Amino acid sequence: MPFKRYVEIGRVALVNYGKEYGKLVVIVDVIDQNRALVDAPDMVRSQMNFKRLSLTDIKIDIKRVPRKKALLEAMEAADVKGKWEKSSWGRKLIVQKRRASLNDFDRFKLMLAKIKRASIVRQELTKLKKNSSA
Amino acid sequence: MAAKQKIRNPELIRGVRKLGRSASYHKRGLWAIKQKNGGKFPHHQKAPVADAVPEKAPKFYPADDVKKPLSNTRKPKPTKLRASITPGTVLILLAGRFMGKRVVFLKQLPSGLLLVTGPFKINGVPLRRVNQSFVIGTSTKVDISGVNVDKFDDKYFAKQAEKKKKKTEEQFFEAEKPEKASLPVERKEDQKAIDTPLIKAIESVPDLKYYLGARFSLKDGMKPHELVF
C-alpha cells in the first residue's frame, strides 16, 4: 500500500500526454506543487505538470538542475535506455509500437505463424494426453 | 520545356526587381550591339507583303443566325495516381465482384483506371480495370520488371459491339437463345503471358502466394484508421 515511486530529482518518468507523448524524461527540479522541471537528451529543458508524467522505477544520480552535459553523462552511467528496454513496461511499449507498424502482409504472416504455433502446441498436448491416459 | 533559361532580373520580393532601369538596360546589352554596328541597331528590310486578294461576298447565307458554341480546348488527362500506388504494388480491392482480393497493380491506363491482375491462377482475378477510388494501396511491392504491359489500353477492354440479327416471324416467337460469349483465346493468351513472369517473381517471396490468394477483411479490434497498410 505505501508508495514506491517518488517524485525526486533524478526520477525518470514517461510522458503520457501532449506533444512529447511517449518520451522518457528526467525530473530535474520541482517547481511547485503541480509542476516539475523536466529534461531529456533530445529536448529543451521545460516544465511539465505531474499529471502528464508517469513515474518509472528508474532513478539516476544527479544534483538539482544539472547542466545538460552532466545529465547526459549521468544517464549514460545509469544506462537508463538499457534498463528501460529490459523492463517489462518498456518491453510492452516496444511490442505495441511494433504491432502498430505492421504492414498488411506482415499481419498475414503473423496469422500464419500463430496458426503454426497453435498446431504445434496442440500436437504436443495430445501427445501428453495420450501418454497420461495410457 | 526548353532548358532552364537564365533569369536576368530576378524578383526579390513582389513588385521589386533586383536591377533598376539603367542597370537592366545595361545588362540587356543592346548598347553593345549598337556599338558594334556603328551607332545604329542592325535592321533588315521588311519582306514585301503580297497584295491581299479581295474577299468575295459569300454565295449563301444561312436562314437563321445560329449561335456558335464556345470552343472547348480542355484535354482530359488521367486521374492523378496516389503516391503509394506504383507498378508492382499489391492493392486491396474494396468493391465489386472481387471485393477484398489482393491483386497486383500493373499500370495506369489513359482513362485513369488502373490495370490490375490477380494473377489469375492465384486468386481468380483476370487482367482487369479498376478505379483508384475503390482500392487500398499496400506497401508490399512485387517485382514487375519481367512483364510487358505496353499492349494494353482502354480499347482492349471495350465491349464488343453486338451484331444485330434480322429476325423472321417464327424466330420472334422462339425463346431468345442466350448466346454465351466465350472468352476469346487472345485474352487467355495475354493473361498467361502476363502472369507467368509475375508468378515466378511472387514465388520467390515466401508466403506472398498465399497472401495474394487470401481475401482481406476487417476483424474484431481492427481499426482501419489506425492500420498501416
Side-chain angles (χ1 to χ4, degrees):
Chain A
M1 214 43 246
F3 289 100
K4 290 218 189 79
R5 299 171 185 158
Y6 293 95
V7 168
E8 47 199 334
I9 312 259
R11 175 65 60 185
V12 173
L14 184 70
V15 179
N16 59 29
Y17 182 90
K19 199 167 72 109
E20 316 283 335
Y21 181 84
K23 266 207 192 151
L24 275 183
V25 292
V26 178
I27 294 178
V28 134
D29 195 5
V30 171
I31 299 174
D32 62 12
Q33 191 194 345
N34 297 318
R35 291 175 299 157
L37 190 59
V38 126
D39 203 355
D42 57 344
M43 82 181 221
V44 172
R45 179 171 295 177
S46 59
Q47 56 132 29
M48 222 178 246
N49 192 315
F50 286 120
K51 291 188 177 173
R52 291 195 176 197
L53 298 172
S54 302
L55 302 180
T56 68
D57 286 328
I58 309 172
K59 179 174 180 304
I60 65 177
D61 190 18
I62 50 170
K63 291 212 180 64
R64 192 182 79 92
V65 193
R67 314 221 114 198
K68 194 70 167 225
K69 205 165 77 156
L71 177 70
L72 292 178
E73 280 169 8
M75 286 184 89
E76 282 293 310
D79 190 24
V80 169
K81 194 151 176 265
K83 279 204 204 128
W84 177 245
E85 284 170 4
K86 280 196 224 107
S87 75
S88 61
W89 184 358
R91 277 184 286 140
K92 260 190 277 177
L93 288 190
I94 292 172
V95 170
Q96 275 175 19
K97 234 181 256 166
R98 179 79 184 98
R99 287 215 179 116
S101 71
L102 283 182
N103 178 345
D104 190 42
F105 188 26
D106 292 334
R107 267 175 264 132
F108 182 78
K109 287 190 270 191
L110 179 68
M111 174 190 74
L112 293 182
K114 279 191 180 171
I115 292 173
K116 203 168 191 188
R117 180 176 67 170
S119 80
I120 295 173
V121 167
R122 209 169 296 127
Q123 277 173 7
E124 286 302 314
L125 182 63
T126 53
K127 258 192 246 165
L128 287 173
K129 277 196 188 155
K130 213 152 52 120
N131 287 341
S132 78
S133 70
Chain B
M1 249 177 115
K4 195 173 174 197
Q5 285 161 336
K6 229 179 173 183
I7 301 175
R8 286 212 183 99
N9 196 358
E11 209 177 77
L12 298 172
I13 194 179
R14 198 177 81 95
V16 177
R17 289 199 174 262
K18 184 170 176 189
L19 303 173
R21 288 185 83 92
S22 329
S24 62
Y25 170 77
H26 179 82
K27 190 158 188 176
R28 197 149 167 233
L30 296 180
W31 56 269
I33 301 177
K34 277 192 200 163
Q35 214 174 50
K36 256 208 275 191
N37 284 279
K40 259 214 211 129
F41 199 80
H43 154 93
H44 62 77
Q45 296 289 67
K46 266 195 170 153
V49 179
D51 273 329
V53 178
E55 255 187 53
K56 285 199 286 196
K59 264 195 282 191
F60 175 76
Y61 287 98
D64 299 307
D65 277 329
V66 179
K67 276 200 171 170
K68 206 169 83 154
L70 293 169
S71 69
N72 181 8
T73 53
R74 176 176 178 265
K75 280 193 219 29
K77 59 180 176 90
T79 334
K80 185 155 182 241
L81 199 57
R82 259 180 269 158
S84 61
I85 302 179
T86 64
T89 313
V90 173
L91 306 174
I92 301 178
L93 300 181
L94 294 174
R97 183 167 169 208
F98 299 106
M99 171 158 44
K101 291 267 191 204
R102 295 166 170 125
V103 294
V104 178
F105 168 65
L106 298 174
K107 76 169 186 181
Q108 185 180 34
L109 300 170
S111 66
L113 299 173
L114 312 179
L115 177 64
V116 128
T117 182
F120 186 70
K121 274 227 167 0
I122 294 184
N123 55 20
V125 179
L127 276 166
R128 199 170 204 262
R129 292 185 300 173
V130 134
N131 191 312
Q132 205 192 150
S133 308
F134 302 106
V135 137
I136 294 180
T138 65
S139 50
T140 316
K141 312 268 184 224
V142 174
D143 182 19
I144 212 177
S145 53
V147 172
N148 186 345
V149 268
D150 293 336
K151 71 176 273 200
F152 299 106
D153 66 343
D154 294 293
K155 280 199 277 290
Y156 179 88
F157 294 99
K159 279 205 171 76
Q160 317 294 8
E162 273 186 38
K163 278 187 252 157
K164 286 206 168 159
K165 286 207 209 91
K166 291 241 163 148
K167 292 200 189 134
T168 61
E169 269 209 28
E170 32 177 74
Q171 280 183 326
F172 251 118
F173 296 110
E174 231 176 59
E176 258 197 45
K177 274 187 282 192
E179 271 201 29
K180 250 198 110 176
S182 72
L183 256 191
V185 186
E186 180 208 33
R187 289 273 187 123
K188 296 194 185 158
E189 298 290 309
D190 290 335
Q191 186 74 51
K192 226 189 286 191
I194 296 277
D195 282 357
T196 349
L198 252 186
I199 292 183
K200 241 189 351 162
I202 289 171
E203 285 183 340
S204 65
V205 181
D207 291 334
L208 188 57
K209 196 159 140 210
Y210 306 109
Y211 174 62
L212 291 176
R215 281 208 205 221
F216 171 82
S217 73
L218 282 178
K219 311 258 171 32
D220 226 354
M222 286 172 104
K223 298 177 193 146
H225 69 291
E226 284 181 1
L227 288 179
V228 167
F229 283 100

